[in-house]
Amino acid sequence: MTPPRRRIALTIATFALAGLTTGCGAIGTAVDCNAVAQEITVISNEFSTSLGSAATDPDAMKKAATVASDKANALAGKYDGELGAALKEFAGAFDGFKSNDVNELTAATSKLGSFQTKITSACS
């Protein structure tokens, strides 16, 4: 995996875990946040693992981003309100990874910070 792609994968995992390991308020919300945390971790890990072949396959990142986006959108469909909106934003962040443009990759990574803030808000 190339250094920029390794940093992107690490950033995704860090933001996803940091945003989802905050304390949740009500019991129902806590259960939702724990389930979402597990799913986001799986999606992020699968995306990161898929980036390993990106050095030899130029379309690997696009394929991985499409799969991750589809899974995140499916997860977002299970939740309403702030949590659902934050998950849709998480899914949308993968669109920037479908490009070979460094600026779009950087913007996609930056979107993950906003996703973290929204998840933290939804789970508090």
Side-chain angles (χ1 to χ4, degrees):
M1 190 179 316
T2 62
R5 291 180 184 175
R6 193 173 306 134
R7 281 192 303 261
I8 290 168
L10 182 60
T11 300
I12 290 168
T14 301
F15 280 132
L17 292 174
L20 295 171
T21 56
T22 61
C24 293
I27 297 298
T29 303
V31 171
D32 287 347
C33 289
N34 287 331
V36 168
Q38 291 173 352
E39 290 292 322
I40 291 292
T41 299
V42 168
I43 293 167
S44 298
N45 287 341
E46 288 174 352
F47 178 71
S48 297
T49 300
S50 296
L51 291 180
S53 62
T56 57
D57 179 4
D59 292 328
M61 186 182 297
K62 292 177 190 175
K63 292 174 192 172
T66 299
V67 169
S69 178
D70 290 348
K71 288 182 179 183
N73 274 318
L75 181 62
K78 296 178 184 179
Y79 298 97
D80 295 329
E82 281 185 84
L83 188 55
L87 289 168
K88 286 182 186 205
E89 184 174 321
F90 176 65
F94 288 104
D95 290 339
F97 293 103
K98 296 176 186 176
S99 171
N100 290 329
D101 182 3
V102 174
N103 292 328
E104 287 189 42
L105 292 171
T106 302
T109 304
S110 296
K111 285 182 182 180
L112 293 174
S114 175
F115 160 73
Q116 175 191 5
T117 302
K118 290 181 180 180
I119 286 289
T120 301
S121 174
C123 288
S124 59

